Amino acid sequence: MGYYLNPSTRGFQNCLNSEIYVDKTGLIESLNKLIDTEQRYVCVSRPRRFGKSMAIRMLSAYYGGENDADPMFKNLEIAQYSDYKKYLNKYIVLCLNMQEFLSDSSSTAQMEKQINQLLMREIKKNYADIDFFDETNLIQSMKDIYEETRQSFIVLIDEWDCIFREYKNRKNEQERYLDFLRKLLKDKEYISLAYMTGILPIKKYGTHSALNMFMEFSMLNPKQLSCFVGFTNKETQKLCQEFGRNFDEIKEWYDGYHFVDAISVYNPKSVVEAVLSGICDTYWNQTETFEALRIYIDMNFEGLRDDVLCMMSGKSVWVNTGNFTNDMITFHTKDDVLTLLIHLGYLGFDYSSQCVFIPNNEIRKEFYNAVSVSDWGEVSKSLLNASATLDAIWDGKTELVAKSMEQAHFETSQIQYHDENALSYTISLALYTARNFYTIVRELPTGKGFADMVYIPRKKFQNKPALVVELKWDKSVKGAIEQIKEKQYCKSLEEYRGNILLVGIGYDKRTKEHQCMIEEDYKE
């Protein structure tokens, strides 16, 4: 047993000892099916804090040949499968965190040398009876062990892509690193399973990759591993019941990653923080600040800002993910930027429609933070003033509301002129912080030239009035109020009881001026 060679089970035991542990050992059964097959090379890419390292520790504990892990796993999901004991502690595990090696190196060559020396030190200590052909050659020594003992290796690599994140512009270093992994893993009889995890999918060079033997499971399409990306709906509901938390609130804040076989997937790090503390907030910035997001959405690609505004208003945007080269510097179009944001977890992706969207309130708040301090002109101003606009509606200050809508409309009207989408963007932008207090529903329009936004108070903010906002083109604000009444408060308010503010916004296309009228009402 060593640090890299058949590590101890302590890492996974710490996971089990935690106040919250969600059983993801079903992943082991999925991987057991791939052992000693042509599909034994697996690359899993996930955003930060989505449980990648925990999975590595779990797999190391289960497969490691010098461990006795049955007491740890016998009450977990994996134990119910018939082949549970067949693979339990039957392999030589090499567990490598590439970030650790890279941090102690100044080049890929130095990193390779360090990996070779450290692993060979442990190999010679644990296999002293083997006559190694070359005690300085890791790959040859792994062959020697396999030939002598017929024991095969399971190689677990965490942070596999750190080279591409830290050596962004050093192509030669990247290619050498890929060649190192290829020589270590590809077509090697001594490899029963290779499992790599990181943020980015495998880097493409031209039409091929040095690691083209890997099956990839990414945020674009995690395929049969989708339920292991994060917490599922059922798992999150169970946690909320155990800790007495509001599931609906947790869902709104952290759900939103949708895959073919897993409709709802939650950010596990954030769910754990919220469930333990009882406070729903943005825990994403404990991983990386909104400045990282700002760098990408500020890129000057045609249509990128328009798409971001569209998504911030609650809509989805079609994206072409096929040209992304799986690094953090090669961007040719807005689609490349949006695809990277999918892999970083800032955007959700619907594989069936090929559309991206902001998945939940936590990430939406990160977009708000990023855009509000960016050089986006009136958009940034409107976001910074959004709280004041909401206060103005509550206080009945119609002139201030009209001015805020005018400021928001100035920018969003550049996206699509005089249609209902531009209207909904205007309202969403001017009232962006209303999401902190309300569940927002966009009513389907019953005719052209107007758009309704309905704001229903969350349970903890029942003292706030519901809002029905309508913007009218070239008609009086009184007409907007009458339009709301004619619709009988919209379908989304059928079950609501309490105070309502009817907010009518009128827009004169000739003068480009806005007016506002607010009328109080009560629904029995």
Side-chain angles (χ1 to χ4, degrees), residues 156-169:
L156 307 174
I157 300 177
D158 200 7
E159 301 280 2
W160 90 270
D161 60 331
C162 60
I163 290 284
F164 303 96
R165 291 184 274 114
E166 297 201 16
Y167 290 178
K168 294 180 181 179
N169 297 296

Side-chain angles (χ1 to χ4, degrees), residues 12 67 299 306 477:
F12 184 54
N67 296 326
M299 289 186 173
D306 295 352
V477 288

Side-chain angles (χ1 to χ4, degrees), residues 431-461:
L431 292 176
Y432 206 74
T433 55
R435 297 174 183 275
N436 297 330
F437 305 93
Y438 293 95
T439 297
I440 303 173
V441 180
R442 183 188 175 190
E443 288 286 331
L444 293 176
T446 56
K448 294 183 178 180
F450 59 86
D452 287 330
M453 297 293 288
V454 180
Y455 297 75
I456 304 171
R458 300 174 190 265
K459 288 183 179 179
K460 64 169 64 175
F461 299 109

Side-chain angles (χ1 to χ4, degrees), residues 231-245:
F231 290 170
T232 64
N233 213 49
K234 183 177 180 181
E235 290 165 345
T236 307
Q237 278 185 309
K238 183 179 178 182
L239 286 176
C240 289
Q241 291 171 357
E242 290 177 0
F243 286 82
R245 307 306 184 199

Side-chain angles (χ1 to χ4, degrees), residues 181-220:
L181 291 178
R182 177 179 56 81
K183 292 173 185 176
L184 177 67
L185 302 172
K186 189 171 184 178
D187 298 328
K188 296 299 188 292
E189 190 177 2
Y190 57 74
I191 297 291
S192 281
L193 177 72
Y195 180 92
M196 299 197 311
T197 186
I199 295 174
L200 295 173
I202 291 173
K203 169 69 179 176
K204 301 174 186 176
Y205 281 111
T207 59
H208 68 282
S209 166
L211 302 178
N212 57 5
M213 71 283 197
F214 274 88
M215 290 197 305
E216 297 208 57
F217 301 85
S218 72
M219 294 298 282
L220 294 177

